[in-house]
Amino acid sequence: VKKTKPIPVALYGGRHAVTMLPGGGIGPELMVYVKEIFKYAGAPVDFEVVEIDPKSDESNDLEYAITSIKRNGVAIKGNIETKSESTGVQSRNVAIRNELDLFVNVLHCHSYPGVPARQKGIDIIIIRQNTEGEYAMLEHESVEGVVESMKIVTKSNSERVARFAFEYAKRNNRKKVTTIHKANIMKLSDGLFLETSQKVAKDYPEIEHNDMIIDNCCMQLVSRPHQFDVMIMTNLYGTIVSNVVCGLVGGAGLLSGKNYGDHYAIFEPGTRNTGTAIAGKNIANPIAMISASIDMLDHLGHKQHSQVISDAVRKVICEDKLHTPDLGGSASSTEIVQRIIDYILQTDTRAW
Ligand code: ADP
Ligand code: MG
């Protein structure tokens, strides 16, 4: 059994350097909140901020961002906008994940008690292939009016994702892994993904493994979501299923997502939204990005700091039920952040 290698991270005089990519839309305001919270929690992290021009592919921004992440090992990220009408510009989000070989995305979809939601008591881990599949960006017009788009599935990446999922299940005491696919139609590509996960499953007899067709999976998710534990899937199914489950527990503003490769890690809001329409209005839900920053602190080994911040978040969301408009509340983003900071300041950190 292959062990996941430890990911090296930059550490200078006890402080970690982390790349911060604010991105567009609500990204920059959310990063301000993260920095404020880290300041009051005394989190030993220095951010190296890299802005990426959303309109231009010409500059070296992307290169700077990638170099910075390679140096620091870890990044926190907002969504970088790629306008769908600008066909010449490829997605910088995809480029960063590919360049750093962040082959897996992990989304822990869990309900927050106190948040009004369509389903209660959800606790699902979505593990998504993050660099190939339908996101290969290999599209061309072969003859006028006929466009071909290639979906790439490799045995090696399918195996890495499956291995990651079963190791994750084992480490976190999870009981079942479900492979999501459409192998009845895409017999070769999804067939390979499914077959590979079935082979890997044989190494983990203590963990139940089953599979489900993506369309049935969507129906099951909205009607009987509690049957799912850990799920693995290819890239496009992953983004769709992630959004379905986030919708079940309270929307785009709550959950964080983690991107891992063998060497680097990027933390970001789970549904990767830009939120252009709500930017600058002090209404964006800050919790998804704050949760991403908590994940990042955990990853760096700063468990006490991550615990203090996540306790404060839980009190604000679940006990005080202070919510932004996306959750049906009337609190502003800054009211939520201020309340979180108030709780952090009440924590006795003298024993640390
Ligand atoms: P846009 O097209 O403006 O970029 P997205 O597609 O990024 O919007 O986001 C999808 C939906 O989720 C939008 O309605 C957006 O307002 C909402 N949303 C995304 N992130 C948040 C957040 N942090 N707080 C509240 N609503 C959010
Ligand atoms: Mg969008």
Side-chain angles (χ1 to χ4, degrees):
V1 174
K2 252 197 333 208
K3 281 252 152 55
T4 315
K5 283 170 247 165
I7 301 169
V9 292
L11 187 64
Y12 306 98
R15 294 182 69 82
H16 280 104
V18 167
T19 305
M20 176 180 268
L21 308 176
I26 54 177
E29 60 198 79
L30 299 179
M31 292 308 191
V32 171
Y33 307 148
V34 168
K35 285 184 185 166
E36 279 295 293
I37 289 170
F38 274 34
K39 186 170 82 188
Y40 287 102
V45 169
D46 295 315
F47 292 109
E48 184 172 68
V49 180
V50 183
E51 311 275 359
I52 295 180
D53 183 350
K55 288 179 217 75
S56 150
D57 233 1
E58 314 285 275
S59 65
N60 295 325
D61 298 350
L62 187 66
E63 236 175 275
Y64 289 145
I66 289 166
T67 307
S68 169
I69 299 170
K70 284 187 176 170
R71 185 168 54 235
N72 295 326
V74 177
I76 183 165
K77 179 180 172 301
N79 202 45
I80 302 155
E81 209 169 7
T82 318
K83 295 244 175 349
S84 50
E85 61 271 18
S86 48
T87 45
V89 183
Q90 69 154 357
S91 164
R92 265 72 57 83
N93 302 297
V94 174
I96 290 171
R97 294 196 287 272
N98 289 350
E99 184 62 35
L100 299 173
D101 190 26
L102 301 174
F103 67 94
V104 68
N105 177 263
V106 182
L107 184 70
H108 183 186
C109 294
H110 59 90
S111 301
Y112 276 92
V115 171
R118 285 167 188 81
Q119 293 277 0
K120 291 197 188 341
I122 304 261
D123 184 9
I124 301 173
I125 308 288
I126 297 174
I127 294 185
R128 160 184 176 193
Q129 207 295 324
N130 210 20
T131 49
E132 52 182 33
E134 306 81 353
Y135 283 54
M137 299 193 291
L138 296 171
E139 291 190 311
H140 59 266
E141 190 167 23
S142 42
V143 292
E144 209 199 314
V146 180
V147 169
E148 293 178 319
S149 177
M150 277 195 262
K151 163 170 172 168
I152 308 292
V153 175
T154 64
K155 192 172 160 185
S156 58
N157 273 323
S158 302
E159 174 162 0
R160 286 165 102 188
V161 169
R163 186 74 62 194
F164 186 98
F166 280 96
E167 283 294 320
Y168 184 100
K170 203 165 110 176
R171 253 197 339 274
N172 293 283
N173 202 23
R174 295 272 174 166
K175 308 287 178 234
K176 184 167 83 174
V177 173
T178 306
T179 303
I180 306 302
H181 62 91
K182 190 74 183 169
N184 53 333
I185 303 295
M186 277 160 277
K187 292 183 196 288
L188 290 181
S189 53
D190 281 23
L192 177 60
F193 188 79
L194 173 61
E195 187 190 319
T196 307
S197 71
Q198 285 165 336
K199 272 189 198 142
V200 172
K202 291 205 169 72
D203 294 337
Y204 301 85
E206 71 282 12
I207 297 164
E208 183 189 342
H209 178 247
N210 66 351
D211 69 276
M212 195 178 282
I213 308 268
I214 176 69
D215 31 17
N216 182 32
C217 162
C218 290
M219 185 168 60
Q220 297 291 327
L221 271 174
V222 293
S223 53
R224 292 180 49 235
H226 301 100
Q227 69 185 285
F228 296 104
D229 189 347
V230 176
M231 307 171 80
I232 56 175
M233 59 201 82
T234 53
N235 213 340
L236 183 65
Y237 306 152
T239 187
I240 297 170
V241 167
S242 297
N243 276 262
V244 170
V245 185
C246 284
L248 290 179
V249 306
L254 274 178
L255 299 174
S256 54
K258 304 170 245 194
N259 303 280
Y260 297 116
D262 286 338
H263 306 293
Y264 312 109
I266 295 185
F267 302 90
E268 65 185 346
T271 48
R272 297 175 175 163
N273 295 119
T274 318
T276 316
I278 57 169
K281 296 181 174 165
N282 199 11
I283 55 171
N285 191 338
I287 301 302
M289 189 66 87
I290 295 169
S291 298
S293 77
I294 294 169
D295 295 342
M296 184 198 86
L297 286 172
D298 267 336
H299 177 79
L300 294 172
H302 298 302
K303 307 280 181 199
Q304 281 171 319
H305 296 89
S306 77
Q307 192 64 50
V308 166
I309 301 172
S310 61
D311 283 348
V313 166
R314 190 186 45 75
K315 283 180 193 148
V316 174
I317 300 300
C318 307
E319 292 172 20
D320 299 350
K321 300 190 174 49
L322 198 62
H323 297 157
T324 41
D326 54 305
L327 299 180
S330 57
S332 65
S333 322
T334 46
E335 279 175 282
I336 305 264
V337 172
Q338 187 55 55
R339 188 72 69 91
I340 291 170
I341 290 171
D342 290 344
Y343 280 121
I344 289 170
L345 291 175
Q346 284 170 22
T347 313
D348 186 359
T349 56
R350 282 169 304 182
W352 289 15

